């Protein structure tokens, strides 16, 4: 049975140190893709923008800087509140997004209750399939 854990929230697209614009987003986690988190941004375009990256990266990034290359995540504070910054790079361009730490952490905790760290492989049924292959 597939379980989906979603959370709608407003992120900020950081344009410069002084300027950012609100971006509605949806965080998604599915047990049929247990290693990944999916972020959908609803920006001023016809089609939403989708990003998928490792759940571990976001879990670690809430506490300390991590990632390299296309996705980097790190915690910081702004206006006295905890935020998580996500730097995303693609051939189409780069984006720096700011997310409120508390709702992101609460959503991550929900995903970790559904599929605890280290149990992702069980969701995929690989052990059962491997056992069947080896039994032949």
């Amino acid at each position: 049975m597939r379980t989906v854990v979603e959370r709608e929230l407003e992120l900020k697209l950081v344009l410069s140190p002084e300027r950012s614009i609100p971006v509605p987003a949806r965080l998604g986690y599915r047990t049929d893709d247990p290693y990944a988190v999916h972020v959908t941004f609803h920006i001023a375009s016809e089609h939403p923008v989708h990003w998928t990256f490792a759940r571990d990266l976001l879990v670690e990034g809430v506490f300390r800087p991590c990632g390299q290359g296309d996705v980097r995540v790190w915690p910081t504070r702004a206006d006295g509140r905890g935020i998580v910054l996500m730097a995303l790079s693609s051939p189409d361009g780069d984006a720096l997004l700011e997310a409120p730490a508390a709702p992101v952490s609460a959503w991550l905790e929900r995903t970790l209750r559904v599929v605890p760290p280290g149990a992702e492989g069980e969701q995929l049924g690989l052990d059962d399939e491997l056992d069947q292959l080896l039994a032949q």
Side-chain angles (χ1 to χ4, degrees):
M1 187 179 93
R2 177 176 130 163
T3 302
V4 177
V5 180
E6 290 186 328
R7 172 77 193 244
E8 301 275 343
L9 75 160
E10 187 173 278
L11 305 181
K12 289 182 181 173
L13 176 61
V14 179
L15 303 174
S16 72
E18 303 81 36
R19 188 160 170 257
S20 62
I21 55 172
V23 177
R26 177 186 299 125
L27 301 175
Y29 179 78
R30 304 188 316 254
T31 53
D32 64 347
D33 192 5
Y35 292 101
V37 293
H38 304 271
V39 186
T40 302
F41 306 105
H42 300 281
I43 54 176
S45 69
E46 222 175 287
H47 304 286
V49 176
H50 303 282
W51 274 81
T52 300
F53 52 90
R55 177 175 71 166
D56 290 350
L57 189 63
L58 193 53
V59 169
E60 186 176 344
V62 168
F63 297 103
R64 65 185 150 269
C66 67
Q68 55 189 358
D70 295 347
V71 179
R72 293 175 305 144
V73 184
W74 67 97
T76 190
R77 297 191 72 72
D79 303 323
R81 58 187 184 85
I83 58 173
V84 178
L85 289 169
M86 293 179 278
L88 307 176
S89 298
S90 79
D92 296 327
D94 299 335
L96 179 61
L97 292 144
E98 179 185 301
V104 171
S105 297
W107 174 77
L108 279 170
E109 285 177 25
R110 286 174 45 213
T111 75
L112 294 168
R113 280 197 298 272
V114 171
V115 179
E120 294 92 349
E122 296 166 24
Q123 296 299 313
L124 299 173
L126 295 178
D127 290 340
D128 296 338
E129 289 179 33
L130 192 59
D131 288 344
Q132 288 175 2
L133 274 174
L134 295 175
Q136 293 176 1

